[in-house]
Amino acid sequence: MAAMFAAKEAFLKAVGTGITIPLTDVEISHTPSGQPVYCLHGKAAELVCGGQVLLSITHEKGMAAAMCVWSI
C-alpha cells in the first residue's frame, strides 16, 4: 500500500501539482512482465499532455519509494 501511495505522490511531484487532483485519477498497474505503469484518468491524463510517464517502485520491509520520470 505504501509503495502505491509513493508512486502516486511521485507522479504529482513530477508534474508539479502536489496533491491537488484526486488520487483516484492516478492508477498504478503492472505489465505481464511485472513492470509498474501509470494508468492516468481525468485531470492526471490532461496534465501529461500526451507525454511519456515512467515509473519505478522499490520496497523492502517497512520502507517504500517510487520515482516518476515525465518527458514531453
Side-chain angles (χ1 to χ4, degrees):
M1 188 70 114
M4 296 302 111
F5 183 81
K8 291 180 181 209
E9 182 182 29
F11 171 81
L12 296 172
K13 287 182 176 182
V15 297
T17 65
I19 302 178
T20 59
I21 64 172
L23 292 178
T24 54
D25 283 0
V26 183
E27 182 182 350
I28 313 303
S29 185
H30 291 83
T31 65
S33 66
Q35 177 187 3
V37 293
Y38 287 110
C39 297
L40 304 174
H41 311 282
K43 294 278 187 187
E46 292 173 18
L47 285 171
V48 298
C49 302
Q52 184 177 21
V53 185
L54 303 174
L55 171 62
S56 177
I57 301 173
T58 186
H59 48 81
E60 183 176 336
K61 298 182 184 174
M63 305 287 286
M67 184 175 72
C68 174
V69 176
W70 173 39
S71 63
I72 299 173

